[in-house]
C-alpha cells in the first residue's frame, strides 16, 4: 500500500511541471480567437451558456477559453458579476504563479551548485528534479548542463553505495533518477529490487536498518535518531507464524491458471527464485540468519538457484508445471539445509512473495499475519481510537490528525503529536502497520499512548478506550459543526449565489453510497430544489468496493452499462448490471456535473468517472487518472491464508463514437508499454506539488473543528481557516476551472432566459439537441 501510494505521489510530482502554469495560464488568459473555434454571436445567454458547456464536454479547450472570455455584456446580475470577478481573480492568480516559476527554477539551480560543491549528491539530485519539474519539456530537461552533471555524479556514486551496503542511499539515488527518466523507465526495475531489499531489512534485520537510517540522518543533516530499542523491533517469527508450503503451492497453481496475463508457471517460478537470490545476496540479513555471513555457503545457495533459473528459462513449456513447482520448492529446502540454513517457513514466504511480485503489484498472498488488516481494509469502520498516522522526516510515528468524534479526538490527541510509546513500549523502528496493529484492538479495551508534543518536556500519557470508528468518505465544502457523537454537518454549496454544490468522495466503502445519497437529499432538500451545478471531487480517491462504485455511478446514469470486465481470453466475465432508472435521482434532476480526477484517482474512482464520461452526463477535469483498472478476486488457500489475484480488467462503457465504429469501451488499466490508460479528462488542468501541499494543509485545518473541553467542541468558525482561500488564493486551478464552467452554465438558468431552439456551432460540428 505504501509503495503504491509512493508511486502515485511520484507521478504527481513528475507530471506537475511548469506546463501546469503555462497550460493553466492559457486558460482565461488573453486569447485571440482561434480558427477552430470562432466565437459565434448568440441570441441569448442560454445560447452562450450552451456553447461553454458543449465545448467543455467535447474537450475543446480553445473554444472553452474563448467563450469564457466573452461573457455576454447584456447580462448584469449578481451571478454575471460573480463570474466576471472570478475570471479576473483567476487570471491574476495565474499571472502571479507564472512570475514565481522562473524564480523557483533559478533558486533550484543555485542549490544544485551548492550541494555539488559540498559533495551532497542526494540533495543535488533532489534539486535537479525540482528544476525539471519547473521546465517546459520534461525529457529535454535532463540535458540541462547542471542536471546532466548531477546525473553523471549520481550514476558514478551508485556502485560505491551498493558496495558499501548503504541501501537507503542507493534507493534515494535511484528514486530520483527514476523520476528524472520516467519517460524511459530506465531505472524502474533496479529501484524495485532495492525497495525489496529494504523491505527485507525492515522485516529481518531491524538493527541494521536502524543503522542505515542513522547514517542517512547524518548525511542529510537531520537530528540524530533516538537509541535503537530491540523490544520495539518487529519479531520476524510472527511474520512466518502459520506459513505452510501448501499455501505457496496453492497460490502458484491458482495464479498460473487464472492470472489475467495468462503467463503460466514460468514467470512465477523465476520470480520466486530471483527473490530468494536477492535475499541471500543481502549480507545484512545475517543479523538474523548468521549463515548468510559465510560467502562459501551463500555461493552454494546462489549456484543452486542460478542452475535452476537457467533451466527454467530454456525448458519447453510442457516441463514447467505444478510438478516442477513441487520439486523446485523441495530442492530449495534441501539445499538450504546444506548451505544458508534458512527456516523452511522463510523460504516458503519469500518464494511466494517473489512469485507474486513477478505478476503485478496488486496480486499478493494474504499470509496469516496480514489477514486481519486485509479484512479491515475493505470495511467502512474498524475498532480503534480514531487517528490518522504517518511518518515524520525521522520516520517517527506522527499523528496526521485525529478523526473527529472519536476517542482520540475527545481524549486530547492533536495533529503533529509524536506517538513514542504504546502501552509503555517504545515505537522507534516501528512500521506504520506495527503501529496500527498495536493501537487497534477489541472494542472497550484500553490503550495508553505516550505522546511527545512540542512545548512539553515530558512524555504525555493519554489513556483511550477503543471503539468502533466510522470512516466517513463523503464530505462537503465547509464543515459547519460537529455533533457530540462525531457526526459532521456540512455546507454542500461551494457557490451559494450560483447554487453550485460540491461533494468530495475519499473512498468507496460499505457506507459510501448511502452517505452520498443522504448528501444529495440534503443538497436538494429532499427533492424540493435542484442545484445549478454539482462538482464531484474524486482526486486522491484510491478506490474501494466495486459494488459501491456501481451504485454511485447509477445515481448519475439512468440506462446502459456501468462497467464490465474481461478475463485473460478477452471474454466478458464481469457485467455489473445495466443502470436502473429507478436508482438515478441525480440524473433525473438534470444537474450539470463536473468530476475532478488526478493521478491519485484509482480503481473505483476511475469506474465512476469513466462511466459518467462515456454516458456524457458529466465533464471530466484534471489530470489522467492512475490506471488501476484490474479486478482482484480473493481465493482461500487455507483457513488462515488467501490469494488476492488479478483475474480481470475493467472495461468502461463504449462512448457514442466507439459504438458507431463498432468498438468496445476502453480498458482502464495501465499495462506495461501502454500509451493510453485510466480516464482522460475532457479538459486537462495541471496543478503543482506546491499547490497540492497548500490545498491539503488548508483543507485539513479547515475540516478540523477544534476540541474546546472534554466531550465538547468549539463551533466558532473563526478558529479555523476560511476554506474559500483555496479559490481566492488560486491554490486549486482544477477546482476553479470546474466552478467557472458551472457558473457559466448556471448563468442562463439564474437569468431566467428560456430561449428555444437548437444552437448550431459550425466550427465545432456540434448540434445541441436540447
Amino acid at each position: 500500500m505504501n509503495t503504491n501510494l509512493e508511486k502515485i505521489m511520484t507521478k504527481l510530482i513528475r507530471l506537475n511541471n511548469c506546463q501546469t502554469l503555462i497550460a493553466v495560464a492559457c486558460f482565461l488568459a488573453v486569447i485571440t480567437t482561434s480558427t477552430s473555434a470562432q466565437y459565434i454571436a448568440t441570441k441569448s445567454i442560454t445560447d452562450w451558456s450552451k456553447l461553454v458547456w458543449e465545448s467543455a464536454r467535447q474537450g475543446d479547450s480553445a473554444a472553452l477559453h474563448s467563450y469564457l472570455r466573452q461573457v455576454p455584456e447584456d447580462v448584469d446580475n449578481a451571478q454575471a458579476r460573480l463570474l466576471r470577478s472570478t475570471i479576473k481573480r483567476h487570471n491574476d492568480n495565474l499571472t502571479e504563479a507564472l512570475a514565481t516559476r522562473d524564480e523557483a527554477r533559478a533558486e533550484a539551480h543555485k542549490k544544485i551548485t551548492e550541494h555539488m560543491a559540498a559533495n551532497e549528491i542526494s540533495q543535488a539530485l533532489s534539486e535537479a528534479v525540482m528544476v525539471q519539474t519547473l521546465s517546459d519539456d520534461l525529457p529535454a530537461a535532463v540535458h540541462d548542463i547542471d542536471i546532466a552533471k548531477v546525473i553523471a555524479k549520481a550514476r558514478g556514486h551508485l556502485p560505491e553505495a551498493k558496495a558499501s551496503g548503504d541501501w537507503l542511499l542507493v534507493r534515494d539515488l535511484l528514486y530520483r533518477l527514476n523520476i528524472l527518466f520516467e519517460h524511459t523507465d530506465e531505472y524502474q526495475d533496479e529501484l524495485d529490487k532495492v525497495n525489496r531489499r529494504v523491505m527485507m531489512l525492515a522485516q529481518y534485520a531491524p538493527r541494521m536498518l536502524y543503522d542505515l537510517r542513522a547514517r542517512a540522518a547524518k548525511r542529510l543533516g537531520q537530528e540524530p535518531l533516538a537509541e535503537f530499542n530491540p523490544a520495539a523491533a518487529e519479531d520476524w517469527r510472527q511474520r512466518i507464524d502459520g506459513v505452510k508450503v501448501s499455501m505457496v503451492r496453492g497460490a502458484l497453481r491458482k495464479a498460473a491458471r487464472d492470472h489475467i496475463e495468462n503467463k503460466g508457471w514460468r514467470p512465477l517460478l523465476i520470480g520466486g527464485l530471483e527473490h530468494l537470490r536477492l535475499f541471500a545476496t543481502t549480507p545484512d540479513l545475517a543479523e538474523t540468519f548468521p549463515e548468510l555471513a559465510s560467502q562459501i555457503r551463500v555461493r552454494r545457495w546462489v549456484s543452486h538457484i542460478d542452475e535452476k533459473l537457467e533451466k527454467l528459462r530454456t525448458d519447453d513449456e510442457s516441463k514447467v508445471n505444478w510438478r516442477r513447482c513441487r520439486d523446485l520448492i523441495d530442492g530449495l529446502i534441501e539445499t538450504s539445509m546444506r548451505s544458508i540454513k534458512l527456516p523452511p517457513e522463510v523460504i516458503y514466504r519469500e518464494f511466494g512473495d517473489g512469485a507474486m511480485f513477478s505478476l503485478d503489484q496488486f496480486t499478493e498472498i494474504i499470509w496469516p499475519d496480514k489477514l486481519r488488516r486485509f479484512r479491515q481494509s475493505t470495511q467502512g469502520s474498524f475498532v480503534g481510537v480514531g487517528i490518522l498516522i504517518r511518518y515524520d522526516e525521522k520516520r517517527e510515528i506522527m499523528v496526521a490528525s485525529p478523526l473527529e468524534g472519536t476517542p482520540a479526538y475527545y481524549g486530547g490527541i492533536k495533529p503533529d503529536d509524536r506517538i513514542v510509546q504504546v502501552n509503555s513500549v517504545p515505537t522507534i523502528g516501528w512500521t506504520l502497520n506495527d503501529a496500527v496493529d498495536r493501537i487497534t484492538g477489541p472494542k472497550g479495551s484500553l490503550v495508553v499512548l505516550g505522546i511527545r508534543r512540542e512545548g512539553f518536556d515530558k512524555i504525555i500519557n493519554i489513556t483511550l478506550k477503543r471503539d468502533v470508528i466510522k470512516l466517513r468518505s463523503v464530505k462537503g465544502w465547509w464543515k459547519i459543526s460537529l455533533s457530540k457523537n462525531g457526526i459532521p454537518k456540512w455546507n454542500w454549496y461551494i457557490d451559494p449565489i450560483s447554487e453550485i454544490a460540491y461533494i468530495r468522495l475519499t473512498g468507496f466503502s460499505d457506507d459510501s453510497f448511502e452517505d452520498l445519497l443522504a448528501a444529495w437529499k440534503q443538497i436538494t432538500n429532499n427533492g424540493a430544489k435542484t442545484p445549478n451545478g454539482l462538482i464531484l471531487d474524486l482526486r486522491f480517491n484510491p478506490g474501494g468496493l466495486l459494488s459501491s462504485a456501481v451504485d454511485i455511478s447509477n445515481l448519475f446514469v439512468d440506462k446502459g452499462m456501468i462497467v464490465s470486465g474481461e478475463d485473460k481470453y478477452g471474454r466478458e466475465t464481469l457485467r455489473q448490471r445495466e443502470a436502473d432508472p429507478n436508482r438515478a435521482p441525480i440524473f433525473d434532476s438534470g444537474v450539470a456535473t463536473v468530476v475532478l480526477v488526478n493521478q491519485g484517482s484509482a480503481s473505483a474512482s476511475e469506474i465512476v468517472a469513466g462511466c459518467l464520461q462515456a454516458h456524457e452526463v458529466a465533464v471530466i477535469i484534471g489530470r489522467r487518472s492512475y490506471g488501476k483498472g484490474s479486478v482482484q478476486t480473493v481465493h482461500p488457500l487455507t483457513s488462515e491464508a488467501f490469494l488476492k489475484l488479478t483475474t480481470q480488467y475493467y472495461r468502461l462503457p463504449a462512448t457514442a463514437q466507439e459504438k458507431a465504429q463498432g468498438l468496445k469501451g476502453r480498458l482502464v488499466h495501465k499495462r506495461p508499454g501502454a500509451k493510453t490508460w485510466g480516464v482522460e479528462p475532457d479538459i486537462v488542468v495541471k496543478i503543482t506539488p506546491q499547490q497540492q501541499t497548500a490545498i491539503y494543509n488548508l483543507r485539513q485545518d479547515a475540516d478540523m473543528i477544534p476540541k474546546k473541553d472534554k466531550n465538547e467542541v468549539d463551533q466558532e468558525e473563526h478558529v479555523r481557516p476560511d476554506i474559500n482561500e483555496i479559490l481566492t488564493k488560486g491554490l486549486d486551478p482544477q477546482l476553479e476551472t470546474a466552478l467557472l464552467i458551472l457558473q457559466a452554465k448556471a448563468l442562463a438558468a439564474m437569468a431566467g432566459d428560456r430561449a428555444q431552439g437548437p444552437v448550431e456551432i459550425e466550427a465545432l460540428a456540434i448540434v445541441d439537441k436540447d
Side-chain angles (χ1 to χ4, degrees):
M1 178 66 71
N2 289 342
T3 300
N4 291 344
L5 288 176
E6 187 176 82
K7 287 181 178 177
I8 294 174
M9 290 309 297
T10 300
K11 297 288 184 185
L12 178 67
I13 293 171
R14 280 292 290 100
L15 291 170
N16 287 304
N17 48 64
C18 79
Q19 292 174 336
T20 302
L21 303 177
I22 293 174
V24 177
C26 290
F27 188 92
L28 304 179
V30 178
I31 300 173
T32 58
T33 303
S34 69
T35 57
S36 63
Q38 297 178 356
Y39 179 78
I40 298 173
T42 60
K43 299 178 181 178
S44 67
I45 188 61
T46 298
D47 296 345
W48 174 83
S49 177
K50 287 181 178 179
L51 294 175
V52 171
W53 182 254
E54 288 299 329
S55 59
R57 192 173 62 81
Q58 292 214 350
D60 192 329
S61 295
L64 174 64
H65 304 157
S66 181
Y67 296 139
L68 282 170
R69 287 290 298 169
Q70 303 180 60
V71 181
E73 295 293 338
D74 59 344
V75 181
D76 188 26
N77 55 22
Q79 293 75 37
R81 289 191 292 272
L82 174 64
L83 179 57
R84 293 189 183 99
S85 67
T86 302
I87 291 172
K88 181 180 184 305
R89 182 190 68 212
H90 191 60
N91 281 330
D92 291 344
N93 289 335
L94 294 172
T95 300
E96 182 180 349
L98 281 171
T100 63
R101 183 198 64 174
D102 289 344
E103 294 178 9
R105 188 166 54 191
E107 180 65 20
H109 271 290
K110 179 182 176 182
K111 290 181 179 179
I112 287 176
T113 302
E114 294 172 351
H115 289 310
M116 288 288 282
N119 201 35
E120 296 169 342
I121 309 304
S122 181
Q123 294 93 319
L125 204 55
S126 179
E127 294 301 328
V129 170
M130 179 56 67
V131 171
Q132 188 191 47
T133 298
L134 297 171
S135 300
D136 297 342
D137 187 335
L138 296 180
V142 298
H143 302 298
D144 174 278
I145 294 176
D146 286 344
I147 294 180
K149 289 180 180 178
V150 177
I151 290 171
K153 188 77 170 179
R155 284 171 168 166
H157 197 54
L158 269 173
E160 179 185 340
K162 292 177 182 177
S164 69
D166 192 344
W167 299 113
L168 292 186
L169 175 57
V170 174
R171 183 176 68 172
D172 190 55
L173 295 175
L174 287 173
Y175 176 76
R176 288 178 170 79
L177 285 170
N178 190 53
I179 292 175
L180 289 168
F181 288 91
E182 186 188 37
H183 56 287
T184 67
D185 283 336
E186 179 178 347
Y187 293 95
Q188 187 61 58
D189 288 344
E190 193 174 0
L191 177 60
D192 287 343
K193 289 180 180 178
V194 173
N195 277 329
R196 284 154 66 178
R197 285 192 195 271
V198 174
M199 288 171 58
M200 291 172 184
L201 293 177
Q203 292 151 0
Y204 298 109
R207 178 56 192 255
M208 181 52 65
L209 183 58
Y210 169 86
D211 291 343
L212 292 179
R213 287 174 179 162
R215 194 189 308 182
K218 182 177 181 180
R219 181 177 67 247
L220 298 173
Q222 299 172 349
E223 294 183 14
L225 301 183
E227 288 294 325
F228 176 72
N229 179 13
E234 182 179 6
D235 186 350
W236 62 272
R237 296 173 184 82
Q238 294 180 3
R239 176 176 168 78
I240 64 171
D241 185 33
V243 171
K244 298 179 175 62
V245 68
S246 60
M247 298 173 181
V248 183
R249 291 174 178 168
L252 267 67
R253 182 193 290 262
K254 183 67 176 175
R257 185 175 65 240
D258 293 338
H259 187 265
I260 183 65
E261 292 295 336
N262 194 26
K263 294 180 179 179
W265 284 93
R266 196 187 306 272
L268 291 163
L269 301 182
I270 290 175
L273 287 174
E274 288 181 337
H275 192 71
L276 284 173
R277 194 185 196 283
L278 198 70
F279 189 100
T281 55
T282 306
D284 294 332
L285 297 179
E287 175 183 322
T288 295
F289 308 111
E291 303 299 336
L292 292 177
S294 168
Q295 293 184 12
I296 295 175
R297 291 182 177 275
V298 170
R299 278 199 298 268
R300 188 179 303 162
W301 172 258
V302 170
S303 177
H304 174 81
I305 288 180
D306 287 347
E307 177 187 339
K308 299 300 180 184
L309 282 171
E310 184 178 357
K311 286 185 66 62
L312 270 173
R313 292 183 174 121
T314 58
D315 276 353
D316 184 81
E317 192 71 35
S318 63
K319 296 181 180 180
V320 185
N321 50 34
W322 72 270
R323 294 183 183 86
R324 183 72 163 269
C325 173
R326 180 195 61 194
D327 295 343
L328 194 63
I329 294 175
D330 291 345
L332 288 169
I333 299 300
E334 181 181 344
T335 303
S336 172
M337 295 306 296
R338 293 186 286 105
S339 57
I340 57 178
K341 299 186 183 302
L342 294 178
E345 294 81 7
V346 171
I347 294 176
Y348 300 151
R349 172 135 191 184
E350 296 306 320
F351 185 86
D353 283 345
M356 299 306 127
F357 280 140
S358 73
L359 297 179
D360 65 80
Q361 62 178 310
F362 305 108
T363 291
E364 64 174 321
I365 299 174
I366 310 300
W367 301 100
D369 68 311
K370 298 167 67 176
L371 189 55
R372 181 174 71 89
R373 197 179 306 124
F374 172 73
R375 286 170 172 162
Q376 178 180 300
S377 67
T378 60
Q379 297 172 346
S381 63
F382 64 95
V383 176
V385 297
I387 51 175
L388 300 177
I389 59 174
R390 65 178 180 88
Y391 287 130
D392 66 5
E393 68 280 357
K394 295 168 61 179
R395 286 186 67 85
E396 292 184 335
I397 308 298
M398 186 178 84
V399 176
S401 65
L403 300 176
E404 293 172 325
T406 63
Y409 175 76
Y410 287 121
I413 300 295
K414 297 182 178 181
D416 298 333
D417 280 347
R418 268 58 173 184
I419 303 175
V420 296
Q421 294 179 355
V422 176
N423 290 333
S424 300
V425 177
T427 62
I428 183 70
W430 281 13
T431 66
L432 294 179
N433 285 334
D434 291 335
V436 170
D437 287 342
R438 303 186 197 194
I439 293 173
T440 58
K443 179 179 179 180
S445 60
L446 300 179
V447 61
V448 181
L449 302 186
I451 299 298
R452 190 177 74 247
R453 183 175 294 165
E454 186 175 354
F456 291 79
D457 295 331
K458 296 182 178 180
I459 293 176
I460 305 169
N461 288 311
I462 299 178
T463 301
L464 304 172
K465 180 182 288 188
R466 299 178 175 106
D467 203 349
V468 175
I469 308 299
K470 178 179 171 61
L471 300 176
R472 302 186 186 279
S473 60
V474 179
K475 305 174 187 293
W477 178 241
W478 171 256
K479 189 177 292 181
I480 299 171
S481 62
L482 189 73
S483 69
K484 287 188 175 182
N485 58 356
I487 300 175
K489 180 179 180 181
W490 290 98
N491 178 355
W492 300 100
Y493 280 87
I494 185 173
D495 177 1
I497 295 177
S498 299
E499 297 182 6
I500 310 297
Y502 172 89
I503 296 176
R504 181 161 52 104
L505 187 61
T506 60
F508 290 83
S509 65
D510 291 323
D511 302 323
S512 297
F513 169 71
E514 292 296 338
D515 289 348
L516 196 149
L517 186 59
W520 178 248
K521 290 178 179 178
Q522 292 178 37
I523 290 170
T524 62
N525 192 19
N526 287 315
K529 59 177 288 188
T530 298
N532 287 318
L534 171 65
I535 297 172
L536 178 62
D537 195 341
L538 297 178
R539 293 176 297 177
F540 291 110
N541 182 326
L545 298 178
L546 173 61
S547 58
S548 178
V550 170
D551 287 340
I552 288 173
S553 297
N554 200 159
L555 293 172
F556 297 85
V557 177
D558 73 328
K559 61 183 178 181
M561 177 54 57
I562 292 176
V563 66
S564 63
E566 59 186 44
D567 65 10
K568 60 184 181 180
Y569 301 113
R571 299 175 305 195
E572 186 176 88
T573 55
L574 170 73
R575 189 171 180 83
Q576 286 294 320
R577 79 160 188 261
E578 297 281 328
D580 183 347
N582 297 315
R583 296 167 58 89
I586 298 180
F587 174 87
D588 291 340
S589 73
V591 65
T593 302
V594 172
V595 179
L596 298 179
V597 297
N598 67 0
Q599 297 88 340
S601 307
S603 189
S605 295
E606 296 174 289
I607 290 174
V608 172
C611 174
L612 271 57
Q613 184 182 51
H615 287 286
E616 300 182 354
V617 295
V619 171
I620 313 298
I621 289 177
R623 293 306 310 272
R624 178 164 59 181
S625 61
Y626 180 71
K628 198 281 184 185
S630 57
V631 181
Q632 283 71 47
T633 51
V634 179
H635 309 272
L637 302 173
T638 69
S639 61
E640 298 178 324
F642 292 79
L643 173 65
K644 187 176 71 170
L645 181 66
T646 301
T647 55
Q648 302 165 59
Y649 285 140
Y650 292 129
R651 190 175 288 279
L652 297 174
T655 63
Q657 183 178 4
E658 288 167 338
K659 289 178 181 177
Q661 297 174 358
L663 300 175
K664 295 181 179 179
R666 62 190 300 226
L667 293 175
V668 173
H669 199 67
K670 183 181 181 182
R671 305 170 76 175
K675 300 299 183 183
T676 61
W677 66 85
V679 176
E680 291 279 5
D682 298 308
I683 302 295
V684 174
V685 180
K686 301 176 184 178
I687 200 166
T688 66
Q690 294 85 351
Q691 287 173 320
Q692 188 58 61
T693 298
I695 295 167
Y696 173 82
N697 291 335
L698 196 153
R699 167 64 71 183
Q700 183 183 52
D701 292 342
D703 281 356
M704 177 59 66
I705 298 179
K707 185 180 74 69
K708 185 163 55 178
D709 295 308
K710 191 172 182 63
N711 293 328
E712 292 186 16
V713 295
D714 191 341
Q715 306 285 12
E716 294 295 326
E717 294 187 359
H718 69 272
V719 300
R720 295 182 284 153
D722 182 2
I723 193 63
N724 290 301
E725 290 181 1
I726 289 178
L727 300 172
T728 59
K729 292 185 175 181
L731 303 180
D732 194 341
Q734 294 170 342
L735 181 59
E736 283 186 80
T737 302
L739 185 58
L740 283 167
I741 292 170
L742 289 174
Q743 285 174 333
K745 185 159 177 54
L747 193 56
M750 300 296 284
D753 193 323
R754 295 294 180 266
Q756 300 296 316
V759 178
E760 186 174 341
I761 312 174
E762 296 177 356
L764 297 178
I766 300 171
V767 175
D768 190 320
K769 298 180 180 180
D770 291 340

